[in-house]
Structure formats: C-alpha cells, structure tokens
Amino acid sequence: MAAHAAPVHVAVSTVIFALRPSPVDGRMTVWLPLVRRIRDPFVGMWALPGGPLEPDEDLAESAARTLAETTLLTPQYLEQLYAFGNTDRSPGERVVSIVYWALVRSDEADIAVESENVRWFEADSVPELAFDHSLIVEYALWRLRNKLEYSHIASAFLGDTFTLSELREVHEAVLQKPLDPANFRRQIEGSGQVVPTEQLRTGGRHRPARLYRYAATVETNGPLGRTEGAS
Amino acid sequence: MAAHAAPVHVAVSTVIFALRPSPVDGRMTVWLPLVRRIRDPFVGMWALPGGPLEPDEDLAESAARTLAETTLLTPQYLEQLYAFGNTDRSPGERVVSIVYWALVRSDEADIAVESENVRWFEADSVPELAFDHSLIVEYALWRLRNKLEYSHIASAFLGDTFTLSELREVHEAVLQKPLDPANFRRQIEGSGQVVPTEQLRTGGRHRPARLYRYAATVETNGPLGRTEGAS
DNA sequence: CCAAAAGTGTTTCTCATACACCCATGC
DNA sequence: GCATGGGTGTATGAGAAACACTTTTGG
C-alpha cells in the first residue's frame, strides 16, 4: 500500500552442521561455524552466518552463498528451518530472518578456514549468541536429531561411498548414544536407503567392510520435493 | 547496507482448514476459504487470505489477524508452514511470503461468512490459484495429513469435549480412509492425548458414548514450544 | 425384539531389541 | 594365535491390525 521505504528487512541465516572429533575424547560430535559480529547491535558477540537477502537471489541461493562465503564449502544438504520475525528480536529495526540448516561433509569441514571472526564450536557448548540465535541453534539441533530418525540425511555427512560402520558412527554422534551394530545394519539395509557396492574397504586390522552408496533420493518433503543438495 | 527503499516485501498468508460435510455424500471433508483477488497481478483469481506484514505485529499475529478478517474466526491451532521467496513467484515485485496454516472448529466454520469475494472450497477441488498458492495448499494438506498421525491436532477441529467416534470421524475425513473403531480407541486412549470425563453423550439410537477432553498440551515443536492456539 | 453404535477380548503379524555366535583381516 | 570389527542368526517382547463378541441405548 505505502510506496515509501518498507520498514521490514529480510535476512537469511544458516545453521551449518558438520561432524568433527571432539577435543576431549576424540569421538565424533556435532560442530557448527559462527561469525563474530563487527557491527551493532550485539557487536563482538557470536552469531549465525547470514546477511540481507539480495533482490535477485532465491532464499536457498542466499543461504548457500553465505555458507560458501564463511566456510568455502558447498552443502550436501540444505533445507529451510523456520522464519523468525518477532517484532522484538532485533533492537531498533524490524528484521525477518529466513533460517536454513545445512549439512557439510566431515572431510571437507576439516579444510574449512577459521579466522579471527569465524570459528567452529561444538554444538553442545556454543556461547550465548546475538539476537535469538541461541534459540535457533537449539531448534536446528532438535530438527537434525529428529529428522535423522525418519530420513536418510546422515549420508550427507559422508562421501559418495561409506561403510555401515561409518554411517552408524554418524548416527551415534548426532543422537549421542551407542547403537547396536547388528540391528543398525538390518534397519538401514531394510529401509532401502542405501545399496551395496562391489567394493570393500580394507586397512583396518579386521575383516574388510563393504562399501555402500545412497539409493535414489526419496521424497521426504512432500509436494515441495527434494531440498537442495549436491546434484 | 543500502538505506533506500528495500525492494523485498514481506507478506503473511494463511491456509485455513475446517471440516464440513461434502455436498455429494454428506461425509466430512476438508475445506478451506479463499479470497478473490481484486488487484493485479492475477486479478479475479482465487488466492489465500493474507496481506503485507505490519511493522508492529509478529508473524503469527498477522496470520491470526487476516484469518479473523476473512472468516471472523479465531484459530484453535496455528503453525508456521513455510516461507516462500523465490524471485519469480510474483510478477513485477519481490515478495517473500511467510505462510501459516490454521485449524478452526467445524461448528464455528458453519457460521463463517461467504461473500462475493470470499468462498469455501473443498480441499480436493480447489481451482488453479494465483501466484504459487496451489503448491502452498498442496503442501499444507500434506503437512496436515502427516502431522495428524503423530500429533494430536485432530481435536482442534472439535469442541472442548467430544466422543471418540467424533475424533475418529475427524481422522477419517483428513486421511480419507476408514479406521477400525476398536483399534482407534486403544491407540488414542493409550497415547494419553485425551482423558475421559464423567459425562456421556446421549441421543443416538444406540448406547451413549463417553465424552473426552484434551489432555495437557504436549510439546511437539521442540525448542520452539507450543504453537499458538486457543488459550 | 431389532438396529446401531459403544466398548472389550483375542489372535496374529510385524518389527525393534538384545545378544550369542561365526568370519576375515592385521599383527 | 589373538584381538578387532564385519556380518549372521535367533529368541523375546511391544505394538498394530483384523475381527469376533458383548453392552446399552432408541425405536
């Protein structure tokens, strides 16, 4: 209706998850990169990577762009999390943030740069964040753990082929509890989410493990179809 | 960064669901109200109720407001569906739409007004809609059917107390398939979602049925907590 | 009494869990 | 050989589905 400057700004932020070994016991845990704010409000505090939505880019494009800018990575999985738009969530201005969550491969995440203003944190011990970003991270973690149990996103943390042990390790890291190897195998094989290849992975001081790869992607978001990810 | 007029507009739309008897066979089916567009683009076509986000209202508030404006009802259940923001979804301007979905009580929906520019449609036979609203309705229906199976939103279609037959009728209407009364009873009673009252509903030419009411609301959206609804 | 829906009991099947056990490799 | 993880077999129990059966009302 009003033709003058709209007072509502649109931003896109992304919660980026990767698995990395914990510094304490070496077991794999969930990590995410945060950026330090260099402007008010909340200058100096850690926050989710993101920025204003450009007029000529789609929402998911914007999420992938800021993801690449902060980590130099491309996501294996990218899905919209939620739109946060309460009037009081940013002091002094009205910002609606469309938040995405992404999974990146663990081997690539090792290459990801850190700097004075970009640092990876263990998901269980993120500091108090700017805006409502602490709540957002908590919600994204909840979604990740939830979706892992009825979807096949775990493979997004791994390479093209992987052993069932590696896949199980992903589940254990995300869910933070040990899983029975025998039952896990049956569950996964029975679900048809992965298919065995001809190759084996040798090198451990034990019997070689068969390598698997993703089956054709299964629709999991209904009419919205497949969410973006590696082609 | 730029201080001049932001070219990205924010709107809030709502998919409103109610159950009404089908005109063909009288069985309950899912319905939703649509409004006729009185402006370009897509003038004359049917679209979801909604409008621009006001600077001083929260997202859910905006959804509830447009819901009240078009149907004169208050939602029993209101939850964010998705944010749609592709660059090409509205010709000539850039609009990001935060879409909510709502459930209203069937007895109240009967009172809801219709007019030249507001009409209720059966969910299975909505016409081609303006913008990407056809896709949005399809997705909202998918979410409704999905969520019905692991949540207790069905009671939002009913009054404060209801019989298990009425609750089953809701499930059957939404899922479009008959359910075994005996097993349905056990499932619902075992879930703890409802509690029996002392009252019975008489009047049918058969044994009176016990009335139930909602149990204390269970968290189903994780850290985001309870979604808005009747207090 | 009969029709119809309320409500209970029981059988069967599927699937998750727990755990015993064999297989194949490095050292 | 022996330690280690890969992989198979199997008993048990919980819960879903199918369906027979009893109960209580209106007519």
PDB file of all heavy atoms in Angstrom, chain B residues 11-39:
ATOM      1  N   ALA B  11       5.064 -10.559   3.118  1.00  0.00           N
ATOM      2  CA  ALA B  11       3.638 -10.771   3.300  1.00  0.00           C
ATOM      3  C   ALA B  11       3.421 -12.013   4.159  1.00  0.00           C
ATOM      4  O   ALA B  11       4.307 -12.847   4.296  1.00  0.00           O
ATOM      5  CB  ALA B  11       2.944 -10.944   1.944  1.00  0.00           C
ATOM      6  N   VAL B  12       2.250 -12.095   4.753  1.00  0.00           N
ATOM      7  CA  VAL B  12       1.877 -13.269   5.540  1.00  0.00           C
ATOM      8  C   VAL B  12       0.559 -13.807   4.993  1.00  0.00           C
ATOM      9  O   VAL B  12      -0.398 -13.053   4.836  1.00  0.00           O
ATOM     10  CB  VAL B  12       1.741 -12.930   7.036  1.00  0.00           C
ATOM     11  CG1 VAL B  12       1.235 -14.135   7.823  1.00  0.00           C
ATOM     12  CG2 VAL B  12       3.068 -12.443   7.602  1.00  0.00           C
ATOM     13  N   SER B  13       0.540 -15.081   4.666  1.00  0.00           N
ATOM     14  CA  SER B  13      -0.693 -15.726   4.195  1.00  0.00           C
ATOM     15  C   SER B  13      -1.009 -16.913   5.093  1.00  0.00           C
ATOM     16  O   SER B  13      -0.139 -17.418   5.799  1.00  0.00           O
ATOM     17  CB  SER B  13      -0.548 -16.197   2.750  1.00  0.00           C
ATOM     18  OG  SER B  13      -0.322 -15.099   1.879  1.00  0.00           O
ATOM     19  N   THR B  14      -2.257 -17.351   5.042  1.00  0.00           N
ATOM     20  CA  THR B  14      -2.673 -18.445   5.922  1.00  0.00           C
ATOM     21  C   THR B  14      -3.562 -19.425   5.173  1.00  0.00           C
ATOM     22  O   THR B  14      -4.494 -19.027   4.481  1.00  0.00           O
ATOM     23  CB  THR B  14      -3.441 -17.899   7.137  1.00  0.00           C
ATOM     24  OG1 THR B  14      -2.684 -16.857   7.751  1.00  0.00           O
ATOM     25  CG2 THR B  14      -3.682 -18.999   8.150  1.00  0.00           C
ATOM     26  N   VAL B  15      -3.246 -20.691   5.341  1.00  0.00           N
ATOM     27  CA  VAL B  15      -4.117 -21.752   4.844  1.00  0.00           C
ATOM     28  C   VAL B  15      -4.993 -22.178   6.015  1.00  0.00           C
ATOM     29  O   VAL B  15      -4.500 -22.672   7.021  1.00  0.00           O
ATOM     30  CB  VAL B  15      -3.315 -22.951   4.315  1.00  0.00           C
ATOM     31  CG1 VAL B  15      -4.247 -23.987   3.714  1.00  0.00           C
ATOM     32  CG2 VAL B  15      -2.274 -22.505   3.311  1.00  0.00           C
ATOM     33  N   ILE B  16      -6.299 -21.961   5.881  1.00  0.00           N
ATOM     34  CA  ILE B  16      -7.237 -22.207   6.969  1.00  0.00           C
ATOM     35  C   ILE B  16      -8.039 -23.466   6.660  1.00  0.00           C
ATOM     36  O   ILE B  16      -8.716 -23.538   5.638  1.00  0.00           O
ATOM     37  CB  ILE B  16      -8.193 -21.010   7.137  1.00  0.00           C
ATOM     38  CG1 ILE B  16      -7.387 -19.732   7.354  1.00  0.00           C
ATOM     39  CG2 ILE B  16      -9.162 -21.249   8.282  1.00  0.00           C
ATOM     40  CD1 ILE B  16      -8.193 -18.463   7.124  1.00  0.00           C
ATOM     41  N   PHE B  17      -7.963 -24.441   7.559  1.00  0.00           N
ATOM     42  CA  PHE B  17      -8.674 -25.693   7.330  1.00  0.00           C
ATOM     43  C   PHE B  17      -9.848 -25.832   8.290  1.00  0.00           C
ATOM     44  O   PHE B  17      -9.744 -25.493   9.471  1.00  0.00           O
ATOM     45  CB  PHE B  17      -7.745 -26.894   7.537  1.00  0.00           C
ATOM     46  CG  PHE B  17      -6.703 -27.059   6.472  1.00  0.00           C
ATOM     47  CD1 PHE B  17      -5.357 -27.109   6.814  1.00  0.00           C
ATOM     48  CD2 PHE B  17      -7.061 -27.164   5.140  1.00  0.00           C
ATOM     49  CE1 PHE B  17      -4.386 -27.275   5.833  1.00  0.00           C
ATOM     50  CE2 PHE B  17      -6.096 -27.335   4.153  1.00  0.00           C
ATOM     51  CZ  PHE B  17      -4.760 -27.384   4.506  1.00  0.00           C
ATOM     52  N   ALA B  18     -10.944 -26.350   7.763  1.00  0.00           N
ATOM     53  CA  ALA B  18     -12.075 -26.736   8.608  1.00  0.00           C
ATOM     54  C   ALA B  18     -12.699 -27.966   7.986  1.00  0.00           C
ATOM     55  O   ALA B  18     -12.476 -28.275   6.813  1.00  0.00           O
ATOM     56  CB  ALA B  18     -13.098 -25.611   8.703  1.00  0.00           C
ATOM     57  N   LEU B  19     -13.471 -28.684   8.779  1.00  0.00           N
ATOM     58  CA  LEU B  19     -14.183 -29.850   8.263  1.00  0.00           C
ATOM     59  C   LEU B  19     -15.639 -29.476   8.042  1.00  0.00           C
ATOM     60  O   LEU B  19     -16.272 -28.849   8.887  1.00  0.00           O
ATOM     61  CB  LEU B  19     -14.087 -31.018   9.246  1.00  0.00           C
ATOM     62  CG  LEU B  19     -12.693 -31.568   9.505  1.00  0.00           C
ATOM     63  CD1 LEU B  19     -12.780 -32.827  10.349  1.00  0.00           C
ATOM     64  CD2 LEU B  19     -11.967 -31.848   8.213  1.00  0.00           C
ATOM     65  N   ARG B  20     -16.158 -29.864   6.890  1.00  0.00           N
ATOM     66  CA  ARG B  20     -17.558 -29.615   6.573  1.00  0.00           C
ATOM     67  C   ARG B  20     -18.083 -30.829   5.817  1.00  0.00           C
ATOM     68  O   ARG B  20     -17.328 -31.530   5.158  1.00  0.00           O
ATOM     69  CB  ARG B  20     -17.708 -28.391   5.668  1.00  0.00           C
ATOM     70  CG  ARG B  20     -17.139 -27.128   6.248  1.00  0.00           C
ATOM     71  CD  ARG B  20     -17.355 -25.997   5.264  1.00  0.00           C
ATOM     72  NE  ARG B  20     -17.757 -24.781   5.936  1.00  0.00           N
ATOM     73  CZ  ARG B  20     -18.298 -23.732   5.330  1.00  0.00           C
ATOM     74  NH1 ARG B  20     -18.535 -23.774   4.023  1.00  0.00           N
ATOM     75  NH2 ARG B  20     -18.617 -22.665   6.006  1.00  0.00           N
ATOM     76  N   PRO B  21     -19.390 -31.040   5.873  1.00  0.00           N
ATOM     77  CA  PRO B  21     -19.953 -32.163   5.132  1.00  0.00           C
ATOM     78  C   PRO B  21     -19.859 -31.927   3.631  1.00  0.00           C
ATOM     79  O   PRO B  21     -20.115 -30.828   3.144  1.00  0.00           O
ATOM     80  CB  PRO B  21     -21.413 -32.208   5.599  1.00  0.00           C
ATOM     81  CG  PRO B  21     -21.675 -30.873   6.204  1.00  0.00           C
ATOM     82  CD  PRO B  21     -20.381 -30.364   6.717  1.00  0.00           C
ATOM     83  N   SER B  22     -19.464 -32.946   2.928  1.00  0.00           N
ATOM     84  CA  SER B  22     -19.377 -32.851   1.478  1.00  0.00           C
ATOM     85  C   SER B  22     -20.773 -32.748   0.871  1.00  0.00           C
ATOM     86  O   SER B  22     -21.690 -33.420   1.317  1.00  0.00           O
ATOM     87  CB  SER B  22     -18.665 -34.089   0.930  1.00  0.00           C
ATOM     88  OG  SER B  22     -18.812 -34.155  -0.466  1.00  0.00           O
ATOM     89  N   PRO B  23     -20.940 -31.896  -0.122  1.00  0.00           N
ATOM     90  CA  PRO B  23     -22.256 -31.755  -0.734  1.00  0.00           C
ATOM     91  C   PRO B  23     -22.699 -33.022  -1.471  1.00  0.00           C
ATOM     92  O   PRO B  23     -23.893 -33.226  -1.664  1.00  0.00           O
ATOM     93  CB  PRO B  23     -22.074 -30.584  -1.708  1.00  0.00           C
ATOM     94  CG  PRO B  23     -20.618 -30.501  -1.936  1.00  0.00           C
ATOM     95  CD  PRO B  23     -19.946 -30.993  -0.703  1.00  0.00           C
ATOM     96  N   VAL B  24     -21.771 -33.857  -1.870  1.00  0.00           N
ATOM     97  CA  VAL B  24     -22.168 -35.061  -2.610  1.00  0.00           C
ATOM     98  C   VAL B  24     -22.707 -36.152  -1.690  1.00  0.00           C
ATOM     99  O   VAL B  24     -23.868 -36.541  -1.769  1.00  0.00           O
ATOM    100  CB  VAL B  24     -20.999 -35.616  -3.470  1.00  0.00           C
ATOM    101  CG1 VAL B  24     -21.077 -35.041  -4.862  1.00  0.00           C
ATOM    102  CG2 VAL B  24     -19.651 -35.335  -2.847  1.00  0.00           C
ATOM    103  N   ASP B  25     -21.885 -36.633  -0.763  1.00  0.00           N
ATOM    104  CA  ASP B  25     -22.334 -37.773   0.030  1.00  0.00           C
ATOM    105  C   ASP B  25     -22.545 -37.427   1.505  1.00  0.00           C
ATOM    106  O   ASP B  25     -22.855 -38.306   2.303  1.00  0.00           O
ATOM    107  CB  ASP B  25     -21.349 -38.928  -0.105  1.00  0.00           C
ATOM    108  CG  ASP B  25     -19.950 -38.516   0.342  1.00  0.00           C
ATOM    109  OD1 ASP B  25     -19.787 -37.348   0.737  1.00  0.00           O
ATOM    110  OD2 ASP B  25     -19.042 -39.352   0.305  1.00  0.00           O
ATOM    111  N   GLY B  26     -22.339 -36.173   1.887  1.00  0.00           N
ATOM    112  CA  GLY B  26     -22.596 -35.791   3.270  1.00  0.00           C
ATOM    113  C   GLY B  26     -21.501 -36.172   4.243  1.00  0.00           C
ATOM    114  O   GLY B  26     -21.564 -35.797   5.413  1.00  0.00           O
ATOM    115  N   ARG B  27     -20.490 -36.886   3.794  1.00  0.00           N
ATOM    116  CA  ARG B  27     -19.386 -37.230   4.695  1.00  0.00           C
ATOM    117  C   ARG B  27     -18.513 -36.000   4.919  1.00  0.00           C
ATOM    118  O   ARG B  27     -18.446 -35.100   4.082  1.00  0.00           O
ATOM    119  CB  ARG B  27     -18.545 -38.353   4.102  1.00  0.00           C
ATOM    120  CG  ARG B  27     -19.303 -39.672   3.985  1.00  0.00           C
ATOM    121  CD  ARG B  27     -18.409 -40.887   4.213  1.00  0.00           C
ATOM    122  NE  ARG B  27     -17.015 -40.628   3.917  1.00  0.00           N
ATOM    123  CZ  ARG B  27     -16.472 -40.729   2.690  1.00  0.00           C
ATOM    124  NH1 ARG B  27     -17.215 -41.085   1.680  1.00  0.00           N
ATOM    125  NH2 ARG B  27     -15.204 -40.502   2.515  1.00  0.00           N
ATOM    126  N   MET B  28     -17.829 -35.967   6.092  1.00  0.00           N
ATOM    127  CA  MET B  28     -16.988 -34.810   6.404  1.00  0.00           C
ATOM    128  C   MET B  28     -15.744 -34.821   5.526  1.00  0.00           C
ATOM    129  O   MET B  28     -15.116 -35.854   5.335  1.00  0.00           O
ATOM    130  CB  MET B  28     -16.571 -34.854   7.872  1.00  0.00           C
ATOM    131  CG  MET B  28     -17.720 -34.634   8.837  1.00  0.00           C
ATOM    132  SD  MET B  28     -18.430 -32.985   8.691  1.00  0.00           S
ATOM    133  CE  MET B  28     -17.860 -32.249  10.221  1.00  0.00           C
ATOM    134  N   THR B  29     -15.419 -33.641   5.007  1.00  0.00           N
ATOM    135  CA  THR B  29     -14.201 -33.497   4.219  1.00  0.00           C
ATOM    136  C   THR B  29     -13.508 -32.197   4.627  1.00  0.00           C
ATOM    137  O   THR B  29     -14.061 -31.391   5.372  1.00  0.00           O
ATOM    138  CB  THR B  29     -14.512 -33.445   2.706  1.00  0.00           C
ATOM    139  OG1 THR B  29     -15.529 -32.467   2.471  1.00  0.00           O
ATOM    140  CG2 THR B  29     -14.997 -34.795   2.201  1.00  0.00           C
ATOM    141  N   VAL B  30     -12.304 -32.011   4.108  1.00  0.00           N
ATOM    142  CA  VAL B  30     -11.510 -30.838   4.453  1.00  0.00           C
ATOM    143  C   VAL B  30     -11.858 -29.678   3.525  1.00  0.00           C
ATOM    144  O   VAL B  30     -11.917 -29.855   2.303  1.00  0.00           O
ATOM    145  CB  VAL B  30     -10.002 -31.159   4.363  1.00  0.00           C
ATOM    146  CG1 VAL B  30      -9.174 -29.936   4.712  1.00  0.00           C
ATOM    147  CG2 VAL B  30      -9.664 -32.324   5.274  1.00  0.00           C
ATOM    148  N   TRP B  31     -12.092 -28.515   4.111  1.00  0.00           N
ATOM    149  CA  TRP B  31     -12.418 -27.312   3.349  1.00  0.00           C
ATOM    150  C   TRP B  31     -11.472 -26.180   3.717  1.00  0.00           C
ATOM    151  O   TRP B  31     -10.876 -26.180   4.791  1.00  0.00           O
ATOM    152  CB  TRP B  31     -13.856 -26.864   3.653  1.00  0.00           C
ATOM    153  CG  TRP B  31     -14.921 -27.801   3.160  1.00  0.00           C
ATOM    154  CD1 TRP B  31     -15.176 -29.052   3.642  1.00  0.00           C
ATOM    155  CD2 TRP B  31     -15.865 -27.573   2.116  1.00  0.00           C
ATOM    156  NE1 TRP B  31     -16.229 -29.611   2.957  1.00  0.00           N
ATOM    157  CE2 TRP B  31     -16.678 -28.732   2.032  1.00  0.00           C
ATOM    158  CE3 TRP B  31     -16.111 -26.500   1.262  1.00  0.00           C
ATOM    159  CZ2 TRP B  31     -17.714 -28.840   1.104  1.00  0.00           C
ATOM    160  CZ3 TRP B  31     -17.154 -26.614   0.348  1.00  0.00           C
ATOM    161  CH2 TRP B  31     -17.942 -27.773   0.261  1.00  0.00           C
ATOM    162  N   LEU B  32     -11.372 -25.197   2.833  1.00  0.00           N
ATOM    163  CA  LEU B  32     -10.587 -24.008   3.150  1.00  0.00           C
ATOM    164  C   LEU B  32     -11.159 -22.789   2.437  1.00  0.00           C
ATOM    165  O   LEU B  32     -11.703 -22.918   1.340  1.00  0.00           O
ATOM    166  CB  LEU B  32      -9.102 -24.189   2.776  1.00  0.00           C
ATOM    167  CG  LEU B  32      -8.696 -24.263   1.313  1.00  0.00           C
ATOM    168  CD1 LEU B  32      -7.216 -23.957   1.163  1.00  0.00           C
ATOM    169  CD2 LEU B  32      -8.998 -25.637   0.748  1.00  0.00           C
ATOM    170  N   PRO B  33     -11.073 -21.616   3.074  1.00  0.00           N
ATOM    171  CA  PRO B  33     -11.591 -20.397   2.454  1.00  0.00           C
ATOM    172  C   PRO B  33     -10.543 -19.730   1.567  1.00  0.00           C
ATOM    173  O   PRO B  33      -9.356 -19.697   1.900  1.00  0.00           O
ATOM    174  CB  PRO B  33     -11.907 -19.512   3.661  1.00  0.00           C
ATOM    175  CG  PRO B  33     -10.896 -19.919   4.684  1.00  0.00           C
ATOM    176  CD  PRO B  33     -10.586 -21.384   4.443  1.00  0.00           C
ATOM    177  N   LEU B  34     -11.009 -19.205   0.445  1.00  0.00           N
ATOM    178  CA  LEU B  34     -10.134 -18.460  -0.452  1.00  0.00           C
ATOM    179  C   LEU B  34     -10.742 -17.093  -0.713  1.00  0.00           C
ATOM    180  O   LEU B  34     -11.955 -16.898  -0.557  1.00  0.00           O
ATOM    181  CB  LEU B  34      -9.967 -19.219  -1.771  1.00  0.00           C
ATOM    182  CG  LEU B  34      -9.291 -20.582  -1.667  1.00  0.00           C
ATOM    183  CD1 LEU B  34      -9.348 -21.323  -2.997  1.00  0.00           C
ATOM    184  CD2 LEU B  34      -7.834 -20.438  -1.215  1.00  0.00           C
ATOM    185  N   VAL B  35      -9.912 -16.158  -1.092  1.00  0.00           N
ATOM    186  CA  VAL B  35     -10.404 -14.813  -1.402  1.00  0.00           C
ATOM    187  C   VAL B  35     -10.088 -14.488  -2.856  1.00  0.00           C
ATOM    188  O   VAL B  35      -9.070 -14.903  -3.397  1.00  0.00           O
ATOM    189  CB  VAL B  35      -9.753 -13.747  -0.482  1.00  0.00           C
ATOM    190  CG1 VAL B  35     -10.074 -14.043   0.972  1.00  0.00           C
ATOM    191  CG2 VAL B  35      -8.266 -13.672  -0.693  1.00  0.00           C
ATOM    192  N   ARG B  36     -10.988 -13.746  -3.473  1.00  0.00           N
ATOM    193  CA  ARG B  36     -10.780 -13.369  -4.863  1.00  0.00           C
ATOM    194  C   ARG B  36      -9.910 -12.121  -4.931  1.00  0.00           C
ATOM    195  O   ARG B  36     -10.112 -11.166  -4.178  1.00  0.00           O
ATOM    196  CB  ARG B  36     -12.125 -13.095  -5.535  1.00  0.00           C
ATOM    197  CG  ARG B  36     -12.037 -13.119  -7.053  1.00  0.00           C
ATOM    198  CD  ARG B  36     -13.245 -12.499  -7.690  1.00  0.00           C
ATOM    199  NE  ARG B  36     -14.502 -13.118  -7.313  1.00  0.00           N
ATOM    200  CZ  ARG B  36     -15.018 -14.163  -7.961  1.00  0.00           C
ATOM    201  NH1 ARG B  36     -14.400 -14.680  -8.987  1.00  0.00           N
ATOM    202  NH2 ARG B  36     -16.164 -14.666  -7.587  1.00  0.00           N
ATOM    203  N   ARG B  37      -8.932 -12.172  -5.816  1.00  0.00           N
ATOM    204  CA  ARG B  37      -8.030 -11.021  -5.940  1.00  0.00           C
ATOM    205  C   ARG B  37      -8.734  -9.881  -6.671  1.00  0.00           C
ATOM    206  O   ARG B  37      -9.358 -10.088  -7.703  1.00  0.00           O
ATOM    207  CB  ARG B  37      -6.751 -11.424  -6.674  1.00  0.00           C
ATOM    208  CG  ARG B  37      -5.804 -12.189  -5.773  1.00  0.00           C
ATOM    209  CD  ARG B  37      -4.413 -12.298  -6.343  1.00  0.00           C
ATOM    210  NE  ARG B  37      -3.805 -11.018  -6.647  1.00  0.00           N
ATOM    211  CZ  ARG B  37      -3.181 -10.241  -5.759  1.00  0.00           C
ATOM    212  NH1 ARG B  37      -3.104 -10.616  -4.508  1.00  0.00           N
ATOM    213  NH2 ARG B  37      -2.641  -9.107  -6.124  1.00  0.00           N
ATOM    214  N   ILE B  38      -8.611  -8.687  -6.078  1.00  0.00           N
ATOM    215  CA  ILE B  38      -9.278  -7.535  -6.670  1.00  0.00           C
ATOM    216  C   ILE B  38      -8.266  -6.565  -7.283  1.00  0.00           C
ATOM    217  O   ILE B  38      -8.602  -5.450  -7.645  1.00  0.00           O
ATOM    218  CB  ILE B  38     -10.116  -6.781  -5.610  1.00  0.00           C
ATOM    219  CG1 ILE B  38      -9.235  -6.420  -4.411  1.00  0.00           C
ATOM    220  CG2 ILE B  38     -11.286  -7.634  -5.157  1.00  0.00           C
ATOM    221  CD1 ILE B  38      -9.952  -5.593  -3.367  1.00  0.00           C
ATOM    222  N   ARG B  39      -6.997  -7.028  -7.337  1.00  0.00           N
ATOM    223  CA  ARG B  39      -5.944  -6.189  -7.907  1.00  0.00           C
ATOM    224  C   ARG B  39      -5.015  -7.057  -8.724  1.00  0.00           C
ATOM    225  O   ARG B  39      -4.912  -8.256  -8.500  1.00  0.00           O
ATOM    226  CB  ARG B  39      -5.119  -5.521  -6.789  1.00  0.00           C
ATOM    227  CG  ARG B  39      -5.565  -4.125  -6.425  1.00  0.00           C
ATOM    228  CD  ARG B  39      -4.449  -3.399  -5.680  1.00  0.00           C
ATOM    229  NE  ARG B  39      -4.097  -4.064  -4.431  1.00  0.00           N
ATOM    230  CZ  ARG B  39      -4.685  -3.811  -3.272  1.00  0.00           C
ATOM    231  NH1 ARG B  39      -5.643  -2.929  -3.203  1.00  0.00           N
ATOM    232  NH2 ARG B  39      -4.297  -4.440  -2.186  1.00  0.00           N
TER     233      ARG B  39
END
